[in-house]
Amino acid sequence: MAYLVEVERVFRARQGLPSPVLAARGGHRLGAGEDIEVVLRAGVAFDDDQLTARGWYVDTDELAVRLERWAEALGDGPWTARFPFRPTFELVARHLYGELASVVPQLAHVELVDRTYGSRTRYCPTG
């Protein structure tokens, strides 16, 4: 693919999972009400021949609205209460990809960035 367009939204979230690694090392543990800064990012891949007469393929405004809705949902309460699975960044990124792939043509990846602790999780299916 010649192009990769990414759209992102920044929000505050409470994952709701303890960190045994941080606890074992005596690191800071998030309290019950503490949140972290998260970036939700989605990428769409396409080729030159898919550009429209207007010079673009993906409507970034439409994708931004979809990501904003998810950012609002992910920022509204702990993830442990929102999902029927253990809400690791890996599983949430995969879930969001599944939700968005049916409405975002040529979705290449969904990424969650934990800006508070400095990690990035990207789900991009193979095949």
Side-chain angles (χ1 to χ4, degrees):
M1 297 290 171
Y3 297 96
L4 176 66
V5 173
E6 294 181 320
V7 175
E8 68 181 40
R9 286 294 174 263
V10 179
F11 62 99
R12 307 284 307 175
R14 285 182 288 152
Q15 186 181 25
L17 296 174
S19 173
V21 174
L22 284 177
R25 294 166 63 190
H28 173 72
R29 266 187 108 139
L30 287 173
E34 289 186 71
D35 57 14
I36 58 174
E37 186 176 58
V38 177
V39 178
L40 169 59
R41 184 177 294 128
V44 176
F46 54 95
D47 285 316
D48 272 319
D49 62 356
Q50 293 180 285
L51 290 174
T52 66
R54 296 178 68 190
W56 56 275
Y57 171 76
V58 61
D59 183 341
T60 55
D61 292 333
E62 182 180 329
L63 181 54
V65 167
R66 291 185 189 285
L67 294 185
E68 185 64 35
R69 287 183 191 137
W70 273 109
E72 288 171 3
L74 293 171
D76 184 26
W79 293 2
T80 50
R82 172 158 308 283
F83 297 105
F85 52 83
R86 190 171 191 274
T88 63
F89 271 59
E90 292 85 351
L91 295 178
V92 172
R94 183 178 70 187
H95 175 79
L96 293 177
Y97 183 93
E99 292 291 317
L100 290 169
S102 64
V103 293
V104 179
Q106 294 181 222
L107 183 64
H109 67 264
V110 169
E111 182 175 271
L112 291 167
V113 180
D114 175 346
R115 284 190 175 169
T116 302
Y117 288 99
S119 68
R120 179 184 312 263
T121 303
R122 178 179 285 187
Y123 181 78
C124 46
T126 57

